[in-house]
Amino acid sequence: MPLFRRKRAADSDPRPAIAEFWAWWAGARPELAAALAEGDPQRVAGALSQSVGRIHPDLDWALAPGLDGARHALVVSAGGRHDLRAVAQRWWLAAPPADAEFEYHPVRRRDPAAVEGVLDIDDYELPLVEFVAGTRYDEQRGRFDLAIHHPLFPLLGKESRARAAFLALEAALGEDDVERWVGAVDVTPDQPVDAVPLASLGPLVDVLRPRDDAWVTFTGATRKGPVVGVVRRPFSRVDRPLADTHVAVSLPYEPGDEGMPVAPDFAKHVDGWERRALDALGGDGDHAVLVGHETGLGRCLVHLYVDGLEVDPAAIDPLLPEWSMGPARRHATRDPAWREIGHLLA
């Protein structure tokens, strides 16, 4: 069944509307199951679209075959909108347990059987098995840059090609892994040199996928002096979908040569303060995460993200006076796309 989208509305706390959705679902589920069993999902599409739209009008939804043992899967996703990813996650966290009839997902997941499917684009049928990709893996960024091609692309307009390419990518990798692993995407009417079937991307990602996070140090340069960063890698906002608020803490210090700290064991001081701050926010988990910090030009800038509906960034304010090298300051900004730290994750 195709995805449905309604017009945009202002952001608000989605939790009451999510509770209303699941109350509605409990009563409507038998009719939904009957319509699917009879091969007539359109019979319930309008009611389901309205109920999802009450959570947020821009959420996407789809009914699909189950991937974890249920006959059917209900998918309610952000549809590529960073500001709605937490909404979809909250919807999923409130879902009833999966059973033999229905399972629930907050993103479109990788479907091993998708290669047998067909995309309907502008009255053309594009078999997914015919999509190919030219691939280039950038080790520094940990991303695949791709050139996507289908034999029918010459017959489609630019926007339709792009839509088809991203739908095919999501089928091959799932929404989260597209964001986590895919960098630049070129949609081309010409077959790339050394192209591989798009279905091969999933196994490639699985081979490269690290088992644990690591802390990576890097050095950058500004017009005023060098900056040394420590950042968690590999890491993406999709790993913590509820963490939508950036908390930046500036820890000043006495600079020495080229603006670097002169205090002995400075890194240990920062590490200890970060650990206490993370504990004050509830600890490392779905609702709070330490991403890293940047040191240079007389300050260490610590980057944390928290769930803006569940965690008050002011919880770390009592720790600010504990920093003895100068007046520490905190600033919080809603940032569901993690743009504030894009330079660290690029």
Side-chain angles (χ1 to χ4, degrees):
M1 176 176 288
L3 295 173
F4 290 78
R5 178 174 290 174
R6 296 165 65 90
K7 292 185 179 180
R8 185 173 185 173
D11 292 329
S12 60
D13 184 348
R15 290 171 294 186
I18 288 171
E20 291 177 9
F21 174 89
W22 289 118
W24 168 85
W25 173 263
R29 175 189 157 120
E31 175 62 18
L32 286 162
L36 291 172
E38 295 165 14
D40 186 19
Q42 293 296 336
R43 192 169 83 213
V44 294
L48 187 51
S49 185
Q50 288 180 357
S51 296
V52 173
R54 291 189 189 104
I55 301 173
H56 195 288
D58 283 356
L59 287 171
D60 285 345
W61 68 267
L63 288 166
L67 295 175
D68 295 331
R71 281 185 285 274
H72 312 292
L74 174 60
V75 182
V76 172
S77 75
R81 278 187 52 177
H82 296 303
D83 58 324
L84 293 182
R85 184 62 181 85
V87 177
Q89 188 75 4
R90 294 182 205 283
W91 169 87
W92 175 71
L93 289 171
D99 54 30
E101 192 71 37
F102 284 103
E103 58 192 54
Y104 312 95
H105 305 295
V107 292
R108 298 179 69 194
R109 291 172 51 189
R110 184 193 307 182
D111 183 358
V115 69
E116 302 171 5
V118 174
L119 293 179
D120 294 320
I121 305 289
D122 294 350
D123 296 325
Y124 290 98
E125 293 187 346
L126 282 65
L128 285 164
V129 71
E130 295 179 357
F131 278 88
V132 297
T135 65
R136 184 178 68 84
Y137 183 66
D138 186 324
E139 292 187 8
Q140 184 175 0
R141 293 183 299 137
R143 298 286 189 274
F144 285 97
D145 293 328
L146 303 175
I148 307 296
H149 168 76
H150 190 278
L152 294 183
F153 273 1
L155 303 178
L156 301 178
K158 183 177 180 180
E159 291 186 3
S160 295
R161 290 178 197 166
R163 178 167 173 259
F166 279 96
L167 287 173
L169 269 176
E170 287 182 350
L173 292 178
E175 284 185 69
D176 279 355
D177 271 353
V178 168
E179 183 165 340
R180 186 180 288 112
W181 291 99
V182 175
V185 176
D186 177 27
V187 180
T188 173
D190 302 314
Q191 179 157 327
V193 177
D194 298 328
V196 299
L198 197 62
S200 299
L201 285 181
L204 280 175
V205 162
D206 291 340
V207 169
L208 293 167
R209 187 189 305 275
R211 297 296 178 258
D212 299 297
D213 288 342
W215 292 95
V216 177
T217 301
F218 66 91
T219 302
T222 72
R223 281 179 285 185
K224 295 184 178 180
V227 174
V228 176
V230 177
V231 65
R232 202 170 187 165
R233 291 271 178 88
F235 206 64
S236 167
R237 61 166 297 283
V238 301
D239 297 309
R240 305 294 174 96
L242 295 178
D244 58 6
T245 298
H246 178 234
V247 182
V249 182
S250 178
L251 303 176
Y253 60 82
E254 180 184 351
D257 293 342
E258 297 188 319
M260 290 292 111
V262 298
D265 297 326
F266 179 79
K268 290 184 179 180
H269 288 294
V270 172
D271 181 69
W273 193 92
E274 288 175 337
R275 290 176 185 275
R276 293 192 297 276
L278 193 57
D279 287 343
L281 296 170
D284 184 70
D286 292 338
H287 301 286
V289 60
L290 170 67
V291 179
H293 61 251
E294 301 170 87
T295 302
L297 312 178
R299 72 168 185 173
C300 177
L301 185 62
V302 178
H303 298 283
L304 302 115
Y305 274 82
V306 301
D307 177 343
L309 287 180
E310 301 286 349
V311 178
D312 184 357
I316 65 174
D317 287 355
L319 300 176
L320 298 179
E322 293 184 7
W323 184 256
S324 61
M325 302 182 195
R329 293 182 174 85
R330 171 191 61 84
H331 179 69
T333 307
R334 177 168 162 76
D335 180 28
W338 288 23
R339 291 189 176 92
E340 295 290 337
I341 60 167
H343 61 293
L344 298 179
L345 302 179

